[in-house]
Amino acid sequence: MSGISTKRRVFEYLKDKYLFYKSTKAFKHRYKNYENSLFKKTLSDEIIERYKERWSAFGKKVEIDTFLLCYNLSGKVDYDIVPENLFAAIIEKKLNPYKELSFFSVKNVYEKWFNNKEVFPMSYFHKIDGIYYDKKFHIINGIKQFIENSTFKYPLILKPSKDTYGGAGVSFVKDKNELLSRINDYSFLVCQEKIEQNEYLSEINDSSVNSVRVCLLKSRGGVFEVLNNTMRFGIDGGLDNETSGGIVCNIDDNGKFRDYALNKYGVKYFEHPNSGFVFKGKKVPFYHELLEISKKISNELILCDLVSLDMALDRNNKWRCIEINLGGQTIRFAQYAGEGFFGKYTDEVIGRTSN
């Protein structure tokens, strides 16, 4: 038994070491696309050493690129800024350790699992591992006839329901013929209604739904609390996902936009490049309702302590959940605004994940 236990410990040690190396390499590669000036060491040695001390509990070399980048973007010194490689390699995996959690990453299950089904986009049908199901998960015998006989509201959304992120593979389908021609492109898909967004948000950008990334942490009491919120905007007709060319604007605790939005590589926008909407001081509508419904959704999840929801405000001023993110979550939206991702929960998270 002792031999097996020793082998297991060695395996886990080497695995963790590799993951940390891989994460560090990935972020260094992405940072090459940023302006060099954003990593300029403009902070004193005393501040840098204090930051390293803050994150030394993990027993890893503390990289300071994330800290410098967030400071040079925001002008704020916040020792709670989480090193990106520590988050990706260690912290997220400690907070969400269970393989079974991947069940909630399959978009087909949203309406089936959650009590408040209306908060999710209404599904028309599903395709799971090549088999078609209607919205109640009854097998569809003859998908062509099913589509021909249905009265879907077009345009609608066709999206892969598994193993994708950043808006990859999402299609806006305008009629039955296009729908029939596209469904064979996917082994896993969900066909959904297209959410018509709030009028105020459409004035900022109407090329796509502008969603809010709501990040939540399960506290020691077992209840999810909101960490931070960031609105995402499409530009030049694209999707709002940052990885698809969109921009993000963090939201403060009072529901107001920060002074600037950013793209994936730290380029600042003080106004939306297409509409000219100035971000500074503008209020996100129905902000309190956003926080409440996000907590309600998250508190129905099991086996996880960290979740990021993509929420959209529809034309009836109801917040809808577009997607649930449980792995590969990003911390940079809040941090590029100069705010540590975990905020007042940072000490608690370090204690929970550094052992």
Side-chain angles (χ1 to χ4, degrees), residues 158-195:
L158 202 63
K159 65 173 71 170
S161 57
K162 185 174 178 291
D163 298 332
T164 60
Y165 66 94
V170 175
S171 300
F172 297 89
V173 178
K174 64 179 183 297
D175 56 36
K176 291 181 180 180
N177 291 332
E178 186 177 2
L179 179 57
L180 286 166
S181 70
R182 296 303 305 273
I183 55 176
N184 292 324
D185 297 341
Y186 308 83
S187 295
F188 289 81
L189 68 78
V190 58
C191 180
Q192 298 175 332
E193 65 170 321
K194 181 179 182 292
I195 291 177

Side-chain angles (χ1 to χ4, degrees), residues 121-138:
M122 180 183 66
S123 61
Y124 294 125
F125 65 88
H126 304 267
K127 186 179 184 182
I128 302 173
D129 202 17
I131 299 174
Y132 291 99
Y133 301 83
D134 65 18
K135 63 182 301 179
K136 294 184 177 180
F137 284 86
H138 300 136

